[in-house]
Amino acid sequence: MRRLIVAMRRAQPTRGTAAALRSTRRHKSTDHFDAAATEKKIGELQRCVRDHLARQDVAEAVAAAEELVRTSTEAYGDGREQGNPVLAAARNDEALCRKAAGDFERAAELFAKAAQLYEACGMSNSASCATALHNLGACYKDDASQPGRKKMDRMMLLERAKEALDESVSRRIHSPAHDQRDLPALASTKVVLASVKRLDDDREGAARELDDAIADLRKVFTDQPSVPGVATALAAALNNRALHAKQDGDPEEKAGHWYAEALQLREGVLGEQHPLVIQTLHNIAEHLDARGDDDDAYEV
């Protein structure tokens, strides 16, 4: 993994996605290549993959992802020479399906391949490459959390997770297009990184990651509350900060405040019946019960 990340740090020529796509297109006969039809099919397959994943139809999602990769490769090549952003996105989608199926090793290979393909076509500091690295780090984290993991394997996977997530943060921050609209995605990576550090028993480091994410998101939410995803990202960071504080005995007695703010944000955006709202209510009830506030916990 370290060799992969070091390799991906090497400078690449800067080109736009459209230019990269044009230069990587491969097909046997231009006379028979219908770009519009191909792009339509790819778009339909991408939606198909996401719909199946949303319904937890994992086997169907994997099959659709494999067809997406085949279609992208036949139309635009395998990306070995100059990269291929379409194939990179397809590999990322396939990796999500493999991870959902529990094949973490194969998923990690595909997430890393997606990042390499983005790099090869000059998109190393793009949001897409940062997302692939985020997904790679999250995959390593989930793999490390599997029951029965040997201690050394767990430590190695957590190190790889931190490396990929740190790289994702760096890529997103150094993106030429980086602005406040990127902060929800950046904060989401820091939330996962905080979870990795908790699993590695770095409680102070986890708290710092979450506090940084919360501070950034509060500013965006105050200045530009309409930025997509800012409220839900802030709620997730607050919920995790409260959860970690509760697990540590809540010495500063802030967990209740963080939970309440997360609940208010989630109810406002998602509605009272959303699973994340119900989850937050459950967390609050557990917190009150742990403090001995049985009556308030029952009311929640």
Side-chain angles (χ1 to χ4, degrees):
M1 174 61 190
R2 185 167 297 277
R3 286 193 296 271
L4 167 66
I5 295 299
V6 169
M8 289 197 297
R9 282 178 178 154
R10 283 180 281 190
Q12 298 288 338
T14 302
R15 291 186 295 172
T17 304
L21 183 57
R22 286 193 298 271
S23 69
T24 59
R25 181 170 292 161
R26 298 285 186 274
H27 47 85
K28 293 182 179 179
S29 171
T30 34
D31 294 336
H32 297 93
F33 181 75
D34 188 334
T38 300
E39 290 170 10
K40 180 181 178 182
K41 182 179 180 181
I42 288 172
E44 290 172 349
L45 286 169
Q46 289 172 332
R47 287 189 292 273
C48 187
V49 169
R50 289 162 193 158
D51 288 345
H52 284 308
L53 282 178
R55 293 194 299 267
Q56 297 184 340
D57 297 332
V58 177
E60 295 293 333
V62 170
E66 290 175 343
E67 177 62 21
L68 174 60
V69 170
R70 280 194 296 271
T71 302
S72 301
T73 303
E74 289 171 2
Y76 302 114
D78 59 15
R80 290 181 184 177
E81 296 178 3
Q82 296 174 307
N84 185 331
V86 176
L87 182 57
R91 289 295 188 194
N92 184 78
D93 284 350
E94 184 186 0
L96 291 171
C97 298
R98 297 293 181 185
K99 181 185 171 188
D103 189 352
F104 295 101
E105 184 175 353
R106 179 58 176 156
E109 291 175 359
L110 291 168
F111 283 133
K113 182 62 176 176
Q116 287 177 317
L117 287 167
Y118 283 125
E119 277 254 332
C121 59
M123 296 175 63
S124 58
N125 286 332
S126 67
S128 297
C129 190
T131 298
L133 289 165
H134 167 101
N135 291 340
L136 177 60
C139 183
Y140 282 135
K141 177 188 80 73
D142 291 346
D143 196 4
S145 303
Q146 293 302 298
R149 263 292 163 226
K150 293 181 180 178
K151 184 177 180 181
M152 290 302 297
D153 290 342
R154 186 172 182 270
M155 291 174 59
M156 177 190 68
L157 288 166
L158 291 176
E159 274 304 308
R160 290 179 175 180
K162 283 187 282 187
E163 187 175 9
L165 293 166
D166 281 336
E167 192 69 20
S168 175
V169 169
S170 176
R171 300 294 178 94
R172 206 172 286 277
I173 289 174
H174 292 99
S175 169
H178 177 66
D179 59 22
Q180 286 193 326
R181 291 170 296 180
D182 295 320
L183 288 179
L186 183 61
S188 295
T189 302
K190 290 185 176 182
V191 168
V192 177
L193 184 55
S195 296
V196 171
K197 290 186 176 183
R198 286 286 296 193
L199 288 170
D200 203 27
D201 205 27
D202 181 6
R203 298 185 178 188
E204 291 183 1
R208 283 195 299 272
E209 295 292 346
L210 288 173
D211 287 342
D212 286 348
I214 289 168
D216 289 342
L217 290 167
R218 281 195 200 283
K219 186 176 187 309
V220 179
F221 189 67
T222 300
D223 297 344
Q224 294 180 278
S226 62
V227 169
V230 64
T232 51
L234 178 55
L238 287 163
N239 183 80
N240 283 25
R241 189 69 173 91
L243 178 63
H244 294 172
K246 185 190 74 159
Q247 291 171 344
D248 295 338
D250 196 19
E252 298 179 1
E253 297 187 353
K254 291 183 177 180
H257 170 73
W258 287 322
Y259 272 139
E261 189 175 356
L263 178 63
Q264 183 180 15
L265 288 165
R266 283 177 167 171
E267 283 183 334
V269 175
L270 304 172
E272 294 182 356
Q273 301 304 314
H274 193 278
L276 286 175
V277 173
I278 296 170
Q279 178 199 67
T280 308
L281 285 168
H282 176 73
N283 291 342
I284 292 172
E286 280 192 338
H287 172 63
L288 292 172
D289 184 53
R291 291 181 54 185
D293 297 335
D294 296 335
D295 292 339
D296 288 339
Y298 178 77
E299 289 176 8
V300 170

